[in-house]
Amino acid sequence: MPLTPTVPPPPPWLLMFSAADRDALTDSARTAAELLADGAPPEAALPARLLSAGHDTERLAVAAAETAGLVEGLSFFADGLPSPRWVSGRADGAAARTAWCFGGHGSQWPGMGRALLNWAPEAAKVLRELDVLLPNGVIEPLLSAADGELGPPDTTQPLIFAVQVATAHWLWSLGLRPEAVVGHSLGEVAAAHVAGALTLEDAARVVAVRSRLLAKAGGGGAMATVNLDRHTVARRCEQVPGTVVVAAHSAPRQTVVTGESEATRALVSALEAEGVRCRLIRINAASHSPFVDSVLPQLRAELADLAPATPRVPWVSTVDADPDPVGLATADYWARNLRRPVRFTQAVSTLARRGIRAYVEIGPHPVLIPPIRETLRAEGVDDPLVIASGQRQTPESVSLLRLLGALYCRGLEIPALEGYVHAEVTTATDQMPPTHRADRG
């Protein structure tokens, strides 16, 4: 049976335009904004006929939950003002090869996943399956989470994982496929499933065991991001009384530290006093540190019978020095995943050197976008596309349409987009711009 929405979902719209040059694109946006501001419904902007935009054209996409938001996005673009409601680009083919990236703890927010349940049938189907597979369920926690923290790792991390894989299945339903996948810490479980190494059932089992044992080993630990290179941070960790270590190499100048709560906060305070930007991560555990050593034997034992398949999609590891190791997704691999520092910048560098210029972070809220961009700059990648599927306090229906629009702007034609919209692609510059309405659910 379909899920009954607790609150009617907003009616998100996606408007997509193409033109031969920026001036023509600006004129189309301004004309559409004036039309909608005068009271016309978005569908009134549908062209008499649709023409393929082809490639090597200027493109614009505007996504919003209401007509006023569309007018704002169109007007801001036409006036040269930044806004999260619009994205533009040249259809240069960058989006043809896209890496899907899955973040770890810290992306959660109360209200995440609700629009997926109400709006995206393929995502809702996966969430219903996970509601049975995960010990604490999925649907009730997502619908009932109040403002504030969602809870300890064994409560929060399965929900992050659920939103990640449900979103990935929705993208699959549109015919989208990644060129490669990469995960940061917890995010590797979703990456393993999307790569084809683990079934949904096995991936749910891994995240349940991993998060439960991490909560058991928490002991009041803390984590924080530090905007310094990992070598400098490692030296500073050694100068702090107590135990604090490097937990992740996220970017050339972004490092995650973890350890005893008091020691971690002392390091952060000392660095902030020197002008170094730091941010505490919302977790009371110390993964990727000696504090999890006590639970690793149990993790290996509980997952000993895992029989992962050979990945169908390239999965770049953030655990081992070799980004393409053997033995991915085994019990021993997940023990290393929980204990070793995360080699995320190594993974992104590997993808960049393989020619990938488009990176989609899949999850409730972006936590990987800044480190991805920093790593790509260090690798000299020209004009990459870096976009997220979710945004805190933004319904997934809107943020997902914004993602599709960003991919479209960089040349991707989305095979099954007509299932979520009234019209398919773009128009010539002498046509009224096409309007797309997300009306399924």
Side-chain angles (χ1 to χ4, degrees), residues 113-139:
R114 293 177 188 174
L116 292 177
L117 287 166
N118 293 326
W119 177 76
E122 289 298 324
K125 177 177 179 290
V126 173
L127 292 174
R128 286 195 296 267
E129 292 178 27
L130 290 173
D131 194 52
V132 176
L133 294 173
L134 290 167
N136 297 320
V138 167
I139 294 174

Side-chain angles (χ1 to χ4, degrees), residues 359-361 366-374 386-388:
Y359 297 78
V360 174
E361 179 176 352
V367 292
L368 300 178
I369 295 296
I372 291 173
R373 286 179 174 152
E374 182 183 331
V386 185
I387 188 76

Side-chain angles (χ1 to χ4, degrees), residues 215-235:
K216 179 181 176 181
M223 303 187 80
T225 59
V226 176
N227 282 16
L228 289 172
D229 68 272
R230 62 187 176 95
H231 301 293
T232 300
V233 173
R235 289 194 298 270

Side-chain angles (χ1 to χ4, degrees), residues 326-397:
V326 298
L328 282 167
T330 62
D332 188 65
Y333 185 85
W334 295 117
R336 301 200 307 276
N337 164 277
L338 186 58
R339 176 62 177 87
R340 290 184 178 178
V342 180
R343 298 173 176 267
F344 187 72
T345 189
Q346 168 188 283
V348 175
S349 293
T350 297
L351 293 169
R353 292 166 189 172
R354 293 175 182 175
I356 294 180
R357 295 170 57 206
Y359 297 78
V360 174
E361 179 176 352
I362 298 177
H365 182 77
V367 292
L368 300 178
I369 295 296
I372 291 173
R373 286 179 174 152
E374 182 183 331
T375 301
L376 295 177
R377 281 196 299 270
E379 291 291 333
V381 176
D382 182 47
D383 195 20
L385 170 63
V386 185
I387 188 76
S389 69
Q391 185 73 37
R392 187 171 287 123
Q393 306 305 327
T394 299
E396 286 94 343
S397 52

Side-chain angles (χ1 to χ4, degrees), residues 79-149:
D79 292 337
L81 300 174
S83 168
R85 299 187 187 277
W86 67 261
V87 61
S88 69
R90 191 164 185 82
D92 59 0
R97 300 178 66 221
T98 302
W100 290 6
C101 309
F102 301 89
H105 203 105
S107 62
Q108 70 274 12
W109 55 275
M112 67 180 185
R114 293 177 188 174
L116 292 177
L117 287 166
N118 293 326
W119 177 76
E122 289 298 324
K125 177 177 179 290
V126 173
L127 292 174
R128 286 195 296 267
E129 292 178 27
L130 290 173
D131 194 52
V132 176
L133 294 173
L134 290 167
N136 297 320
V138 167
I139 294 174
E140 193 278 333
L142 289 176
L143 293 178
S144 65
D147 291 342
E149 297 296 332

Side-chain angles (χ1 to χ4, degrees), residues 149-161:
E149 297 296 332
L150 292 178
D154 54 337
T155 299
T156 300
Q157 293 194 357
L159 297 180
I160 296 172
F161 162 80

